[in-house]
PDB file of all heavy atoms in Angstrom:
ATOM      1  N   TRP A  94       5.026  18.493  -2.967  1.00 98.00           N
ATOM      2  CA  TRP A  94       4.020  19.258  -2.239  1.00 98.00           C
ATOM      3  C   TRP A  94       2.794  18.375  -2.079  1.00 98.00           C
ATOM      4  O   TRP A  94       2.857  17.175  -2.381  1.00 98.00           O
ATOM      5  CB  TRP A  94       3.720  20.569  -2.987  1.00 98.00           C
ATOM      6  CG  TRP A  94       2.951  21.583  -2.190  1.00 98.00           C
ATOM      7  CD1 TRP A  94       1.716  22.093  -2.472  1.00 98.00           C
ATOM      8  CD2 TRP A  94       3.362  22.209  -0.972  1.00 98.00           C
ATOM      9  NE1 TRP A  94       1.339  22.995  -1.510  1.00 98.00           N
ATOM     10  CE2 TRP A  94       2.324  23.089  -0.578  1.00 98.00           C
ATOM     11  CE3 TRP A  94       4.495  22.107  -0.169  1.00 98.00           C
ATOM     12  CZ2 TRP A  94       2.387  23.858   0.592  1.00 98.00           C
ATOM     13  CZ3 TRP A  94       4.576  22.875   0.985  1.00 98.00           C
ATOM     14  CH2 TRP A  94       3.528  23.745   1.357  1.00 98.00           C
ATOM     15  N   LYS A  95       1.698  18.914  -1.583  1.00 97.00           N
ATOM     16  CA  LYS A  95       0.461  18.139  -1.423  1.00 97.00           C
ATOM     17  C   LYS A  95      -0.726  18.924  -1.971  1.00 97.00           C
ATOM     18  O   LYS A  95      -0.779  20.147  -1.848  1.00 97.00           O
ATOM     19  CB  LYS A  95       0.186  17.831   0.049  1.00 97.00           C
ATOM     20  CG  LYS A  95       1.061  16.795   0.698  1.00 97.00           C
ATOM     21  CD  LYS A  95       0.617  16.601   2.142  1.00 97.00           C
ATOM     22  CE  LYS A  95       1.500  15.650   2.912  1.00 97.00           C
ATOM     23  NZ  LYS A  95       1.103  15.577   4.342  1.00 97.00           N
ATOM     24  N   ASP A  96      -1.673  18.163  -2.546  1.00 96.00           N
ATOM     25  CA  ASP A  96      -2.970  18.737  -2.861  1.00 96.00           C
ATOM     26  C   ASP A  96      -4.031  17.860  -2.205  1.00 96.00           C
ATOM     27  O   ASP A  96      -3.720  17.120  -1.267  1.00 96.00           O
ATOM     28  CB  ASP A  96      -3.168  18.891  -4.369  1.00 96.00           C
ATOM     29  CG  ASP A  96      -3.174  17.566  -5.120  1.00 96.00           C
ATOM     30  OD1 ASP A  96      -3.154  16.492  -4.468  1.00 96.00           O
ATOM     31  OD2 ASP A  96      -3.202  17.586  -6.364  1.00 96.00           O
ATOM     32  N   ASP A  97      -5.246  17.902  -2.679  1.00 95.00           N
ATOM     33  CA  ASP A  97      -6.309  17.125  -2.038  1.00 95.00           C
ATOM     34  C   ASP A  97      -6.216  15.636  -2.323  1.00 95.00           C
ATOM     35  O   ASP A  97      -6.993  14.847  -1.774  1.00 95.00           O
ATOM     36  CB  ASP A  97      -7.685  17.656  -2.447  1.00 95.00           C
ATOM     37  CG  ASP A  97      -7.873  17.682  -3.959  1.00 95.00           C
ATOM     38  OD1 ASP A  97      -6.891  17.886  -4.682  1.00 95.00           O
ATOM     39  OD2 ASP A  97      -9.020  17.497  -4.411  1.00 95.00           O
ATOM     40  N   THR A  98      -5.259  15.216  -3.167  1.00 94.00           N
ATOM     41  CA  THR A  98      -5.080  13.790  -3.443  1.00 94.00           C
ATOM     42  C   THR A  98      -3.880  13.197  -2.720  1.00 94.00           C
ATOM     43  O   THR A  98      -3.738  11.983  -2.647  1.00 94.00           O
ATOM     44  CB  THR A  98      -4.896  13.548  -4.951  1.00 94.00           C
ATOM     45  OG1 THR A  98      -3.650  14.121  -5.376  1.00 94.00           O
ATOM     46  CG2 THR A  98      -6.030  14.157  -5.755  1.00 94.00           C
ATOM     47  N   GLY A  99      -3.005  14.036  -2.207  1.00 94.00           N
ATOM     48  CA  GLY A  99      -1.804  13.557  -1.537  1.00 94.00           C
ATOM     49  C   GLY A  99      -0.556  14.215  -2.093  1.00 94.00           C
ATOM     50  O   GLY A  99      -0.598  15.328  -2.612  1.00 94.00           O
ATOM     51  N   VAL A 100       0.561  13.522  -1.999  1.00 97.00           N
ATOM     52  CA  VAL A 100       1.845  14.067  -2.448  1.00 97.00           C
ATOM     53  C   VAL A 100       1.868  14.188  -3.971  1.00 97.00           C
ATOM     54  O   VAL A 100       1.467  13.270  -4.689  1.00 97.00           O
ATOM     55  CB  VAL A 100       3.003  13.164  -1.976  1.00 97.00           C
ATOM     56  CG1 VAL A 100       4.331  13.625  -2.564  1.00 97.00           C
ATOM     57  CG2 VAL A 100       3.080  13.163  -0.451  1.00 97.00           C
ATOM     58  N   ILE A 101       2.340  15.344  -4.458  1.00 97.00           N
ATOM     59  CA  ILE A 101       2.418  15.601  -5.891  1.00 97.00           C
ATOM     60  C   ILE A 101       3.807  16.163  -6.229  1.00 97.00           C
ATOM     61  O   ILE A 101       4.487  16.707  -5.371  1.00 97.00           O
ATOM     62  CB  ILE A 101       1.333  16.592  -6.357  1.00 97.00           C
ATOM     63  CG1 ILE A 101       1.478  17.929  -5.605  1.00 97.00           C
ATOM     64  CG2 ILE A 101      -0.050  16.001  -6.179  1.00 97.00           C
ATOM     65  CD1 ILE A 101       0.536  19.028  -6.091  1.00 97.00           C
ATOM     66  N   PRO A 102       4.247  16.051  -7.484  1.00 98.00           N
ATOM     67  CA  PRO A 102       5.509  16.684  -7.885  1.00 98.00           C
ATOM     68  C   PRO A 102       5.406  18.191  -7.770  1.00 98.00           C
ATOM     69  O   PRO A 102       4.339  18.780  -7.987  1.00 98.00           O
ATOM     70  CB  PRO A 102       5.661  16.256  -9.351  1.00 98.00           C
ATOM     71  CG  PRO A 102       4.792  15.049  -9.509  1.00 98.00           C
ATOM     72  CD  PRO A 102       3.640  15.271  -8.576  1.00 98.00           C
ATOM     73  N   TRP A 103       6.538  18.831  -7.460  1.00 98.00           N
ATOM     74  CA  TRP A 103       6.556  20.284  -7.391  1.00 98.00           C
ATOM     75  C   TRP A 103       7.840  20.768  -8.067  1.00 98.00           C
ATOM     76  O   TRP A 103       7.899  20.763  -9.289  1.00 98.00           O
ATOM     77  CB  TRP A 103       6.399  20.762  -5.947  1.00 98.00           C
ATOM     78  CG  TRP A 103       5.793  22.132  -5.843  1.00 98.00           C
ATOM     79  CD1 TRP A 103       6.401  23.291  -5.443  1.00 98.00           C
ATOM     80  CD2 TRP A 103       4.449  22.496  -6.178  1.00 98.00           C
ATOM     81  NE1 TRP A 103       5.523  24.346  -5.493  1.00 98.00           N
ATOM     82  CE2 TRP A 103       4.320  23.898  -5.945  1.00 98.00           C
ATOM     83  CE3 TRP A 103       3.339  21.804  -6.655  1.00 98.00           C
ATOM     84  CZ2 TRP A 103       3.127  24.602  -6.168  1.00 98.00           C
ATOM     85  CZ3 TRP A 103       2.147  22.494  -6.876  1.00 98.00           C
ATOM     86  CH2 TRP A 103       2.055  23.873  -6.631  1.00 98.00           C
ATOM     87  N   LEU A 104       8.883  21.134  -7.328  1.00 98.00           N
ATOM     88  CA  LEU A 104      10.145  21.462  -8.000  1.00 98.00           C
ATOM     89  C   LEU A 104      10.754  20.221  -8.649  1.00 98.00           C
ATOM     90  O   LEU A 104      11.513  20.314  -9.608  1.00 98.00           O
ATOM     91  CB  LEU A 104      11.134  22.077  -7.016  1.00 98.00           C
ATOM     92  CG  LEU A 104      10.941  23.562  -6.696  1.00 98.00           C
ATOM     93  CD1 LEU A 104      11.887  23.997  -5.583  1.00 98.00           C
ATOM     94  CD2 LEU A 104      11.140  24.427  -7.934  1.00 98.00           C
TER      95      LEU A 104
END
Side-chain angles (χ1 to χ4, degrees):
W94 194 242
K95 287 181 184 175
D96 63 7
D97 56 328
T98 67
V100 174
I101 59 174
W103 206 249
L104 280 173

